[in-house]
Amino acid sequence: MKIDLHVHSRYSTRPAAWVLKKIGTPESFTQPLQIYRIARRRGMSWVTISDHNRIEGALEIAHLPQTFISEEITTYFPEDGCKVHVLALNIDEDQHRDIQKARPDIFDLTALLAEQKIHHLLAHPLYAVNDRLTLDHFEKLLLLFEAFELNGARNDEANTCLLEILASLTREKIARMADRQGLTPRGVEPWRKVVAGGSDDHSGLNIARTHTVVPGAAAVDELLAGIAAGRAQVVRQPSTPLTLAHNIYGIAYQFYRSKLRLGRHIDRDRLMGFVDRCLSPEPEPQGHGLMARLYHFIPRRRGHASGVDVSDTLMGLLRQETQRLLQDAPELTRMADQGAMDGQPAEQVWFDFSCQAANRMLHGFADHVIGQVNGAKVFNIFQTIGSAGGLYTLLAPYFIAYSLFMRDRHFIRRVRQHFGARETTPEPSSLHVAHFTDTFYQVNGVALTLQQQVKAALAAGRRYTLVTCDDQQRSAEAGVANFDPVAVYALPEYPEQKIFIPPLLEMLDYCYRHKVTQIHAATPGPVGLAAMAIAHMLKLPISGTYHTQLPQYARQLTGDDLILELTWKYTLWFYDRMDIVYAPSESTRRELIDRGIRAEKIRCYPRGIDAQRFHPAKRNGFWKDRYGIDAVVKLLYVGRVSKEKNLPLLAEAYAALASQHPDIHLMVVGDGPYLPALRQLLEGLPCTFTGYLSGEDLAMAYASSDIFVFPSATDTFGNVVLEAQASGLPVIVTDRGGPAENVRAGRTGLVVAADDAAALKSAMRRLIEDATLCRQMGHRARAEMESRSFTGAFDQTWRMFQVLENPPLDIAAHAGNN
């Protein structure tokens, strides 16, 4: 006998998912006769229906051959209301009435089922139906039940864990549990448990995906006896979050198809045909005659001819972009017309379609926001943002599914630890950090540090993945998960600085499938917001790095104090939602505390330097050979050429100094929006602009210079200051921001007052005129940097991640609040 023991019909009316409650659909919309037809077509020799606390669905098909009545009973632990589901098999109407009277108390219910010799299974044993299931409850369930379900709708890791635990039970373990729980175990040999399986289908899409086979059984009594004797075999196709979300979409679609009579549109609308094939257990047949082809042709021609701008309303954009997607994707068109899925399961096809459609819509919304900002249509922005919010409501089934599956995974891990069960495919380390950033491929100190961290993690065998977005075609790189952005926008002030709109669903799926256990956000931008959302949905701890003084940058660029305060409000809102905030310097840490972030959640993290790449030994004739510069003293600036780096101050100080010291030359290495203005300020002075340098060219440029000058007052760290010191250069920095903490004032360099051109000029003149001091500071700077390796810094950072994985009580309490 083959049978799916757990299938729901339209008589299961109370949905658990809030999105189904919101639209008013029942928990299932499948007709009983449809269940019978699908189950038999999929190879089931017998059919039963197990609705929640009802048997009307099973009674509707009871007259058909090879059927029997079942139900899924909702019962409770009386002491705390923990909800449990139990499958009762082959019952009659009188037994159903008795069951309903006893079901409020699980102890009364199990006594009744035993007394009336009703075959029953504990449904989805490791699923917390109302979030109250604990290890104590599970121990009691092991004592109360002899038969357990391998559930086809829940996380298959739970099924694997259940089998491991049941196989490990012994007479002694059961006796200890019985003493601990104060319960008498049921069964002659209560340490011997049996299993059977059911799909737990609510949409008709997954009927028989998981089912029970009892060899040699030909009648119901033989089936049930075979299960009780442990002869049942469970055939299961593991469920994923995609399966559960697909199931929810299927229920909603079937509800609306019936309510709005959508079936009449399927033959004339390619999009409706595609949706029906993906979300209906029995798709409507589609015509392929002349009228059907005309219906497909006419809307497309009208759409192209209209020239209408992209809609910023949710439904308008949804219709527009999904139609275009079907036109642009031949495989989806083929499925819409012919039902061919190329061997892919329907839930994967639907997920791919949902991702592409959502990304197209989000791109359209983003274009509208940018256009409305540029056109000063400020109030229209709110309508578009509201519509974009509606898009994420439409994607809610995926968010729900991943959240539920991850909640199961967390509980499964605790169960395994409690019972000492080992994972069948254990990971090399439980800690897996996904580090979200939007600067991995850029040319700056932060990007360099991240690239070195990836290398250090790979060398040490750490499960550390850099998650990023980039619009260039990059080859695959170990330790990096690079996603194609939904949209890319360049800042007017920074053409090279791009904002990437990330593909949230793909990133969410990646983190779930690769068993990420911790999220780190290195940006408060869209990629960081995606990291925050994913951490929230997957119930993972999240930390964040504050490495860019965004408010100060905004003030420098706009000159607007209101923009400064608004940026601060957003920045603080973002970082206050982190469990831990990593600051690159003590001054940055104090600034965040002063602004309202709790001191106990802020940590200073270490930064390393590649002391072999940046080395005094690389001093050669680089400047003379490459640029023809033969000055006695070469001053160097490396970094973004932008106003917030305080470069007007450098130009002012250097112009005054150059008139007194004709033997000096300033090299500016880098590029940025302020470059034309800086060229104009330094016109006629001994100054060379190289643009970006990298690799050995950059290392030789450092080592072949004499003094490094970094006037920025907005940097939280200043990685270039470490690179210069490792190259044997004395450095000059300001007393504001992180760079000052990387300099031993008076020993490896000089620290001057920020925004003071006279002080900066005086510091440069002092080092220019005192060659001995300059040389001594350079030697000491190199010695300091030799102890700051990337490997050592990453090891310290990893230990910080380990603390967050197993946090002390104060951090754990805050994470719980978030």
Side-chain angles (χ1 to χ4, degrees), residues 378-700:
V378 178
F379 292 103
N380 290 352
I381 294 173
F382 296 104
Q383 178 187 354
T384 304
I385 291 175
S387 296
L391 167 63
Y392 285 104
T393 301
L394 289 178
L395 297 176
Y398 284 112
F399 303 150
I400 292 169
Y402 281 102
S403 182
L404 289 176
F405 267 61
M406 197 65 183
R407 187 187 68 179
D408 291 348
R409 183 179 285 175
H410 290 316
F411 185 65
I412 291 163
R413 186 173 299 156
R414 290 171 53 207
V415 171
R416 275 202 170 99
Q417 291 171 350
H418 179 75
F419 286 92
R422 294 184 178 181
E423 294 188 55
T424 52
T425 54
E427 298 290 350
S429 166
S430 61
L431 176 59
H432 183 184
V433 178
H435 188 137
F436 284 70
T437 181
D438 51 11
T439 61
F440 185 70
Y441 294 109
Q442 293 181 10
V443 183
N444 56 45
V446 173
L448 174 63
T449 299
L450 295 177
Q451 292 160 15
Q452 291 294 333
Q453 283 189 181
V454 170
K455 293 178 182 177
L458 291 171
R462 308 293 191 190
R463 297 179 68 215
Y464 171 85
T465 304
L466 210 298
V467 181
T468 189
C469 270
D470 187 65
D471 58 342
Q472 303 299 313
Q473 293 297 321
R474 310 270 184 185
S475 56
E477 186 174 348
V480 179
N482 183 25
F483 292 85
D484 292 331
V486 172
V488 183
Y489 300 98
L491 294 175
E493 296 83 1
Y494 289 107
E496 78 281 6
Q497 184 79 27
K498 297 176 180 178
I499 295 177
F500 299 109
I501 308 299
L504 178 60
L505 268 184
E506 288 98 318
M507 287 181 166
L508 173 62
D509 181 64
Y510 179 90
C511 289
Y512 175 82
R513 285 189 295 103
H514 288 81
K515 295 188 176 181
V516 167
T517 63
Q518 190 174 138
I519 301 287
H520 183 80
T523 170
V527 173
L529 289 173
M532 182 190 293
I534 291 168
H536 178 73
M537 284 185 274
L538 299 185
K539 307 294 188 294
L540 298 177
I542 181 170
S543 57
T545 304
Y546 180 78
H547 61 66
T548 302
Q549 290 184 312
L550 288 178
Q552 289 89 330
Y553 275 28
R555 175 67 177 81
Q556 284 269 9
L557 294 172
T558 65
D560 191 331
D561 289 334
L562 177 60
I563 295 295
L564 171 70
E565 288 306 312
L566 287 175
T567 309
W568 262 122
K569 286 181 183 297
Y570 169 74
T571 301
L572 294 172
W573 170 85
F574 179 84
Y575 285 102
D576 198 41
R577 275 147 186 79
M578 304 289 113
D579 298 317
I580 292 292
V581 177
Y582 295 112
S585 61
E586 182 59 30
S587 66
T588 303
R589 178 178 179 274
R590 288 195 303 268
E591 182 178 32
L592 291 174
I593 293 171
D594 292 343
R595 285 283 178 171
I597 303 293
R598 294 188 303 121
E600 60 269 24
K601 72 185 291 184
I602 306 176
R603 308 281 188 274
C604 284
Y605 70 96
R607 293 278 284 271
I609 183 67
D610 188 345
Q612 295 306 309
R613 178 187 174 201
F614 298 103
H615 198 286
K618 296 184 178 182
R619 186 179 182 90
N620 54 24
F622 175 80
W623 291 114
K624 183 176 182 179
D625 295 343
R626 186 72 60 88
Y627 295 95
I629 299 168
D630 197 18
V632 175
V633 180
K634 294 173 282 294
L635 289 88
L636 176 67
Y637 168 85
V638 177
R640 181 181 292 129
V641 182
S642 52
K643 193 174 181 180
E644 80 277 357
K645 297 293 185 181
N646 229 358
L647 293 181
L649 189 81
L650 174 60
E652 180 183 347
Y654 180 70
L657 191 66
S659 63
Q660 304 168 6
H661 290 270
D663 56 346
I664 65 175
H665 199 105
L666 174 65
M667 273 70 69
V668 177
V669 176
D671 202 348
Y674 192 65
L675 183 59
L678 187 62
R679 282 182 181 275
Q680 188 173 1
L681 287 174
L682 295 174
E683 188 175 3
L685 297 174
C687 181
T688 298
F689 297 89
T690 68
Y692 286 122
L693 295 179
S694 61
E696 283 301 295
D697 282 350
L698 179 60
M700 290 186 293

Side-chain angles (χ1 to χ4, degrees), residues 149-160:
E149 181 201 29
L150 299 182
N151 187 272
R154 309 306 317 172
N155 193 331
D156 197 58
E157 294 174 40
N159 293 327
T160 303

Side-chain angles (χ1 to χ4, degrees), residues 97-110:
R97 283 189 287 270
D98 292 339
I99 286 171
Q100 293 307 302
K101 293 175 184 176
R103 76 175 181 85
D105 187 317
I106 192 171
F107 302 106
D108 293 342
L109 174 66
T110 51

Side-chain angles (χ1 to χ4, degrees), residues 733-748:
V733 300
T734 72
D735 60 359
R736 194 182 303 163
E741 295 176 34
N742 291 316
V743 177
R744 297 278 298 275
R747 289 187 54 79
T748 66

